[in-house]
Amino acid sequence: MAAAKPSLGRLLPGSSILFLCDMQEKFRHVAYFPQIVSVAARMLKVARLLEVPTVLTEQYPQGLGPTVPELGAEGLRPLAKTCFSMVPVARQELDARPQLRSVLLCGIEAQVCILNTALDLMDRGLQVHVVVDACSSRSQVDRLVALARMRQSGAFLSTSEGLILQLVGDAAHPQFKEIQKIIKEPAPDSGLLGLFQGQNPLLR
């Protein structure tokens, strides 16, 4: 009997969805918050160009405020939640898309809502792509261990540019020139080199 083929984590716009988690006013103290939001905004622009659906959540917005304007999420209806996972409030969106295979996950905080969302999505049989330069935590130890934990559980860790170009797939794509403008400047530094450099045992 042939061994089961491992999941390669390939992405196609028609079977993907973008999740934007809790990038709100009261979380501006999270490490690298401006950079994280900037990268998530890139992902949202690309999702709109490629017609990838998007889910936006806000954690207890009455106390933690609205989504920050620099995300550029105008036109999206935020789903309010108290649960430390996006999945309960996004269930209707997920159930409405039987063709869905992949979720691109951005936001905060890595060790709480990002981790629990990733686990809940994988429980549903979906592939999770954590956009590492669009996720952070107040503590960089929490961020590092959360990334390692998600990887241990089967999530894919990728950069925004890697995921964007995987979604586009071909320089002949009709939206490629517009997307090229978005990624022309490298994504801002969000402290990842410090997490990944050297022989970090958590990310081997």
Side-chain angles (χ1 to χ4, degrees):
M1 187 183 212
K5 188 176 180 181
S7 173
L8 299 177
R10 295 195 186 279
L11 285 174
L12 294 170
S15 57
S16 300
I17 191 168
L18 176 65
F19 271 29
L20 300 172
C21 184
D22 305 352
M23 285 171 275
Q24 295 160 254
E25 288 291 345
K26 290 290 180 72
F27 288 128
R28 287 187 182 275
H29 61 287
V30 166
Y32 300 102
F33 185 85
Q35 294 90 335
I36 295 302
V37 173
S38 172
V39 174
R42 287 184 177 210
M43 296 300 299
L44 178 54
K45 287 176 186 174
V46 169
R48 285 172 163 158
L49 285 169
L50 298 179
E51 299 181 348
V52 172
T54 301
V55 171
L56 171 71
T57 61
E58 294 176 345
Q59 180 74 14
Y60 186 59
Q62 306 96 304
L64 297 172
T67 298
V68 296
E70 54 266 42
L71 182 59
E74 299 83 4
L76 291 179
R77 181 177 65 87
L79 303 175
K81 65 182 182 67
T82 56
C83 181
F84 297 137
S85 169
M86 297 176 72
V87 170
V89 295
R91 189 167 286 123
Q92 188 174 344
E93 292 281 343
L94 295 170
D95 291 344
R97 294 180 167 83
Q99 81 285 6
L100 195 63
R101 290 182 56 205
S102 308
V103 181
L104 292 81
L105 185 53
C106 304
I108 56 177
E109 287 188 67
Q111 81 283 7
V112 190
C113 294
I114 297 297
L115 172 60
N116 287 308
T117 298
L119 296 177
D120 283 351
L121 290 168
M122 287 186 282
D123 244 357
R124 291 177 65 106
L126 294 166
Q127 295 179 1
V128 175
H129 297 262
V130 180
V131 189
V132 293
D133 47 344
C135 294
S136 193
S137 303
R138 287 165 298 146
S139 158
Q140 293 304 280
V141 172
D142 281 335
R143 183 186 187 193
L144 171 62
V145 175
L147 292 174
R149 172 74 171 82
M150 289 185 275
R151 185 168 176 252
Q152 286 169 338
S153 297
F156 297 97
L157 306 185
S158 302
T159 63
S160 54
E161 184 165 327
L163 290 170
I164 287 167
L165 292 174
Q166 197 177 343
L167 283 168
V168 177
D170 194 319
H173 191 288
Q175 296 289 1
F176 178 68
K177 288 196 182 301
E178 286 303 309
I179 288 169
Q180 197 173 31
K181 293 175 188 174
I182 295 170
I183 62 172
K184 185 176 180 182
E185 291 297 321
D189 174 35
S190 59
L192 286 170
L193 282 179
L195 297 181
F196 285 90
Q197 70 185 1
Q199 296 300 308
N200 193 317
L202 291 175
L203 292 169
R204 280 180 186 165

